[in-house]
Amino acid sequence: MGDYDKGLELLRLLGGVEDPAVLQLFESVQATDFGAEAVAFVYGGVYQRPGLSLAQRQLVTVAALEALGYAEAQLRFHRTAVTNVGGDLAQDDETTRRLRLIAVHTAKGGVAPELADVLREARDAGELREAVEAILHLAVYVGFPAALNALGAARTLTSDEHRERA
């Protein structure tokens, strides 16, 4: 699903550096092959999906990492990345608020009843697709199980939306 060259180009843009520290980390533990696969999948694949802008992806990532509370180096990187892609950490429109809440609830396991509430808000605003994309994006930051749990909450709303259209 990924492309290393596209991923490396994006990683350099996000970090604002030619030689990303994450690649140095993989190299230092003799896992350059894993580093290349990670860059290809995450930055060359997941980040290339439609549905969210780069700035939205970074704001969602920052919200999730803040909720996790233990990834300070990654949080610093992604806070910088927000501005490097033209975003604003102080952005507070309704769409961003919903995406941030989805990120927080997904990071905390994707099972909070509040997640269903904010997903319903997103659906009602015509933004359920963006909400689902945010959850998919977060799988690489908060873990696959948490993202699957959050997708389970979204599934009900997606099913409701399909029934309403029929």
Side-chain angles (χ1 to χ4, degrees):
M1 174 178 164
D3 177 88
Y4 178 77
D5 293 330
K6 279 197 295 190
L8 182 58
E9 181 181 334
L10 178 57
L11 186 56
R12 287 174 171 157
L13 170 68
L14 295 174
V17 297
E18 184 64 24
D19 193 16
V22 70
L23 293 179
Q24 295 170 12
L25 173 63
F26 288 120
E27 185 177 324
S28 73
V29 296
Q30 300 172 354
T32 54
D33 59 333
F34 186 88
E37 290 175 23
V39 168
F41 177 72
V42 176
Y43 297 100
V46 174
Y47 269 82
Q48 305 297 323
R49 292 176 51 83
L52 294 176
S53 69
L54 284 176
Q56 286 174 315
R57 288 183 183 281
Q58 288 310 299
L59 291 168
V60 165
T61 301
V62 166
L65 293 173
E66 287 174 345
L68 290 174
Y70 60 77
E72 281 302 314
Q74 295 81 12
L75 183 55
R76 279 191 305 276
F77 174 87
H78 289 286
R79 281 183 176 149
T80 298
V82 169
T83 57
N84 286 347
V85 297
D88 181 359
L89 286 168
Q91 188 172 342
D92 66 351
D93 60 272
E94 281 301 304
T95 298
T96 301
R97 180 192 64 78
R98 280 189 288 274
L99 290 172
R100 283 182 170 147
L101 286 171
I102 289 165
V104 168
H105 294 307
T106 300
K108 293 183 176 183
V111 294
E114 296 87 357
L115 177 59
D117 292 340
V118 75
L119 287 170
R120 227 176 268 101
E121 284 182 37
R123 180 200 60 197
D124 294 348
E127 298 171 348
L128 188 56
R129 185 68 221 147
E130 291 87 347
V132 168
E133 190 59 40
I135 294 167
L136 295 172
H137 174 82
L138 289 170
V140 298
Y141 293 101
V142 304
F144 201 56
L148 289 178
N149 289 341
L151 287 175
R155 175 179 46 197
T156 305
L157 298 172
T158 304
S159 299
D160 291 347
E161 191 175 86
H162 287 298
R163 277 194 297 274
E164 289 172 7
R165 288 184 188 163

